[in-house]
Amino acid sequence: MLYAISSFFLWGLFPLYFKLLQGVASFDIVVQRIFWSLIFLVVVLTWRRQWGWLGAVIRQPRVLFGFLASALLLSGNWLMYIWAVNSGRIVDASLGYFMSPLLSVLLGYVILKEKLRPLQWLAVLLASAAVLWLTWINGALPWIGLVIAATFGIYGLLRKTAQLGALQGLALETILLSPAVLGILLVTAWQGHNGFLQASPMAQALLVLSGPVTAIPLLMFAAAARRIPLSLLGLLQYISPTMQLLTGVFIYDEPFTGARLTGFMTIWAALAVYSLEGLWRLWAEKTRNAGA
């Protein structure tokens, strides 16, 4: 639980961090995050002398493909999130992370063939109604939130079923992306529009720090996902979007009234139904075990 709470709290602070990098293009920030995360993870693995797993993984194409898929999902999630933050759409980004637990439930039903209980179906239907409402009032799908929810939800599913531990899994993801990242850095440097080289010293320092700032909460999240029930992880996950929403509304004055507030309140109702049902099931199971 400490791993999960810490990771979500740190993610909740990310809008403040990435707002400091508004002068750097979102795509360049993502490339730098991957590069400096790779450097950080290589140092950690070398210090801990934990490279033995890599030889075995290289001989398993299916595992490599799975981690390549999760790496692409993660980088896509980063790109959408950073763009949203620096485009004044923090509230829209927070919607994605509010929807993510409910999407995880639906993914479990569709992909893992898990059975949904009646109240879980109610939560999913309420979330769907909220999306339809926000689509109607805005004249378009809340695509920022949907993309963020989909990429993070599927990423969480892949990491939940991954064969590698938190540190090794994240290292493999960055390693698989490293050829493309290094190619982009070399080409942009050659053409004279490398985001890091053109940034201010302050921005360069923040970009370098984005490696550990990115890797540490992700490692905590992956470690938590493998240790605690998915239902509990889903409850704790609300810490991050709540902090992001409050940041967008009260610090950056993003609009959050009227019909838009109604859509969010419907999402919160869905989350309340989902959370209370999960807590009730957990309490009932503990009561039965105690009685036995």
Side-chain angles (χ1 to χ4, degrees):
M1 285 185 62
L2 180 60
Y3 281 139
I5 292 171
S6 299
S7 66
F8 293 131
F9 180 80
L10 290 173
W11 278 328
L13 297 175
F14 270 16
L16 300 173
Y17 188 90
F18 289 114
K19 277 289 189 182
L20 298 174
L21 288 168
Q22 280 186 299
V24 182
S26 300
F27 182 79
D28 290 336
I29 295 174
V30 172
V31 170
Q32 292 294 324
R33 284 184 77 180
I34 297 170
F35 176 75
W36 293 110
S37 295
L38 174 63
I39 298 300
F40 175 76
L41 292 167
V42 166
V43 170
V44 172
L45 285 169
T46 302
W47 175 63
R48 299 181 65 173
R49 299 180 181 178
Q50 292 183 347
W51 285 106
W53 55 273
L54 188 58
V57 169
I58 289 176
R59 296 190 291 271
Q60 302 180 57
R62 192 170 181 176
V63 175
L64 291 175
F65 178 78
F67 274 94
L68 178 60
S70 65
L72 292 173
L73 285 166
L74 185 61
S75 57
N77 180 272
W78 289 351
L79 180 60
M80 178 56 66
Y81 178 75
I82 293 170
W83 177 86
V85 167
N86 288 335
S87 299
R89 309 288 291 273
I90 297 174
V91 172
D92 290 332
S94 73
L95 175 64
Y97 291 114
F98 276 122
M99 292 193 297
S100 183
L102 299 172
L103 181 62
S104 295
V105 173
L106 193 58
L107 288 173
Y109 172 76
V110 173
I111 297 175
L112 301 180
K113 307 303 180 184
E114 297 176 350
K115 292 183 178 180
L116 296 188
R117 297 180 291 273
L119 288 178
Q120 289 180 317
W121 274 117
L122 177 60
V124 171
L125 290 174
L126 283 172
S128 302
V131 171
L132 291 174
W133 170 255
L134 291 170
T135 299
W136 183 66
I137 64 171
N138 293 323
L141 280 170
W143 60 274
I144 295 174
L146 289 173
V147 170
I148 287 176
T151 51
F152 192 72
I154 300 172
Y155 173 78
L157 177 67
L158 292 176
R159 294 299 280 121
K160 179 70 176 177
T161 57
Q163 298 181 18
L164 293 177
L167 178 61
Q168 293 83 358
L170 183 58
L172 181 58
E173 288 170 345
T174 55
I175 289 170
L176 291 172
L177 292 176
S178 61
V181 166
L182 292 174
I184 291 169
L185 292 175
L186 289 173
V187 169
T188 54
W190 177 266
Q191 294 178 346
H193 53 80
N194 183 283
F196 181 83
L197 297 178
Q198 294 180 337
S200 66
M202 177 66 174
Q204 288 178 338
L206 290 172
L207 288 171
V208 172
L209 289 174
S210 69
V213 165
T214 294
I216 290 172
L218 273 171
L219 290 173
M220 290 178 175
F221 171 77
R226 297 175 67 89
R227 286 172 168 82
I228 64 177
L230 195 59
S231 58
L232 179 57
L233 191 67
L235 290 175
L236 297 174
Q237 189 169 324
Y238 307 148
I239 295 171
S240 176
T242 299
M243 292 177 62
Q244 293 171 18
L245 175 64
L246 295 174
T247 299
V249 173
F250 293 107
I251 297 181
Y252 297 110
D253 296 320
E254 293 188 17
F256 189 65
T257 56
R260 194 181 195 193
L261 176 58
T262 301
F264 270 77
M265 290 178 66
T266 307
I267 289 286
W268 295 335
L271 293 174
V273 170
Y274 168 71
S275 302
L276 292 174
E277 194 272 349
L279 289 173
W280 180 82
R281 296 278 301 186
L282 184 62
W283 177 81
E285 183 177 345
K286 286 185 176 181
T287 302
R288 285 196 303 269
N289 293 337

